[in-house]
Amino acid sequence: MFTLKLVRCRGTALRTFTSTASRSHENPLGLPFRPPSTPQMPRRGGLIQKRHIEHVKKVIVVASGKGGVGKSTIAVNLAFSLAMLPHRPRVGILDLDIFGPSIPTLMGLQHSDDPRLTSAGALVPIINHGIPTMSMGYLVPRPPPDSTEFEGAIVWRGLMVQKAVQQLLFDVDWRDACGSGPGLDVLIIDMPPGTGDVPLTLGQLVVVDGAVIVSTPQDVALTDVRRGISMFKKISVPITGLILNQASFLCPSCNTAHELFGTSTNASRLGIPLLAQLPLVGGVSCGGDRGIPYVLEGKNGGDKDGKAGEIWRDAMNEVASKMWGLVHS
């Protein structure tokens, strides 16, 4: 069983729990019992009404049928670009990659404490850089900071994965830590690669306002992306457009763009709008490893990557403006 502790927050008791607990197919995250709030997956041939995530106005998913294309990095930087828009919307990030969560590392939270629980038994997001986040990576055993061994591998069958996704979608309180805030204007959901249980569960249960597809220019990546686009169409998730990552390398001495991994014309055959073409920028990877999103580093005066870095940040800001306009049109 979980070890529960009480934490006071403006007179409200919050519970914390450790990540060592017995789990079942019905409660894979080991959350304390609370009144049913999670919709059940439909039986074969049955229908279920899609619903909104509580305390979240709009949901944007960042997805790709292919792993390793920079999807999680794009998701994090898109969230911060949205949060820095003039209207200052409140933005959160939900990591639905059950088997390989990247958000804790990209947000500098890989050694954070376990999430707390509200008095109603809902998970309280973990915050860094002013953005609330939730991830499977916070709910599995983690090695100490000085250890190089990873002990938190998830080895689950489909039923466990489906239920865990439902709990992450509907058992997180996206208001402030005391449960009295207004909630989120936008929730960015970082999807796992592929077309399996996780995107299917999301598409059947949640009202999604837009999907951003991420790919690199290689044909092998775009082939998998086509499958992802087809899946979203089948489950009625609106596709906003494509971000082409690592589209070119900008030579620092001559400012000439070199398309190292394929031409952008390959992406035009996907039949969806091209939102941005991002150059290959070393600082994006370095910032992610240090838990500092690249758009934040640029905001604080970081220009080590020169023209390429400027193009990258400007493109992400432009995508954020487009997304804000589309989901609020």
Side-chain angles (χ1 to χ4, degrees):
M1 300 297 293
F2 278 98
T3 301
L4 296 178
K5 301 177 182 179
L6 291 181
V7 179
R8 292 287 172 184
C9 179
R10 298 178 193 168
T12 302
L14 295 177
R15 293 176 287 181
T16 63
F17 62 97
T18 65
S19 51
T20 55
S22 59
R23 296 181 171 94
S24 69
H25 285 91
E26 285 303 308
N27 188 15
L29 302 188
L31 297 177
F33 174 79
R34 60 194 300 245
S37 63
T38 304
Q40 299 298 312
M41 292 295 291
R43 296 179 182 274
R44 182 175 297 179
L47 297 175
I48 189 171
Q49 186 70 33
K50 292 186 182 183
R51 57 182 283 191
H52 294 276
I53 297 175
E54 193 173 9
H55 309 304
V56 173
K57 294 179 181 178
K58 301 292 182 179
V59 171
I60 297 172
V61 301
V62 179
S64 174
K66 181 75 173 176
V69 296
K71 169 183 53 59
S72 297
T73 299
I74 298 299
V76 167
N77 281 276
L78 176 59
F80 280 92
S81 294
L82 280 164
M84 292 188 292
L85 289 173
H87 2 292
R88 290 293 188 262
R90 189 163 187 265
V91 183
I93 304 172
L94 175 59
D95 185 356
L96 280 190
D97 195 337
I98 302 297
F99 298 107
S102 300
I103 295 302
T105 298
L106 293 171
M107 290 292 292
L109 292 168
Q110 64 269 46
H111 301 301
S112 66
D113 294 332
D114 293 324
R116 292 178 292 175
L117 299 173
T118 67
S119 57
L123 290 162
V124 176
I126 299 178
I127 298 175
N128 197 17
H129 308 303
I131 295 284
T133 68
M134 182 50 62
S135 170
M136 193 70 204
Y138 305 145
L139 303 170
V140 295
R142 282 160 284 166
D146 57 348
S147 172
T148 59
E149 297 182 4
F150 181 70
E151 303 169 355
I154 299 294
V155 186
W156 287 350
R157 295 186 185 275
L159 288 176
M160 292 277 278
V161 174
Q162 289 179 19
K163 191 61 181 182
V165 169
Q166 292 176 60
Q167 290 184 305
L168 287 171
L169 287 170
F170 299 108
D171 288 331
V172 178
D173 192 330
W174 289 104
R175 296 172 294 178
D176 64 27
C178 295
S180 59
L184 300 180
D185 294 302
V186 181
L187 177 63
I188 299 294
I189 299 183
D190 180 28
M191 300 293 291
T195 57
D197 289 326
V198 175
L200 182 60
T201 301
L202 174 79
Q204 288 181 313
L205 298 181
V206 176
V207 176
V208 177
D209 298 282
V212 174
I213 309 298
V214 179
S215 182
T216 49
Q218 301 98 320
D219 278 336
V220 67
L222 293 170
T223 298
D224 287 341
V225 167
R226 287 189 185 93
R227 297 189 183 100
I229 293 171
S230 175
M231 174 204 64
F232 279 128
K233 289 179 178 178
K234 287 180 179 179
I235 59 178
S236 301
V237 171
I239 299 172
T240 305
L242 172 75
I243 292 179
L244 199 61
N245 196 23
Q246 301 176 7
S248 62
F249 170 71
L250 198 64
C251 175
S253 59
C254 64
N255 282 335
T256 300
H258 302 274
E259 295 180 326
L260 301 179
F261 305 125
T263 66
S264 58
T265 55
N266 293 341
S268 64
R269 297 196 295 268
L270 295 176
I272 60 175
L274 183 59
L275 297 175
Q277 298 184 64
L278 302 178
L280 186 63
V281 176
V284 175
S285 176
C286 293
D289 289 343
R290 293 186 292 113
I292 304 175
Y294 191 66
V295 292
L296 283 189
E297 290 196 288
K299 184 173 182 289
N300 295 327
D303 57 355
K304 296 177 292 184
D305 295 301
K307 184 67 174 177
E310 181 182 341
I311 291 173
W312 203 99
R313 291 188 295 269
D314 288 346
M316 285 305 305
N317 292 333
E318 185 176 346
V319 171
S321 296
K322 288 179 182 177
M323 294 304 301
W324 180 258
L326 286 170
V327 300
H328 286 83
S329 59

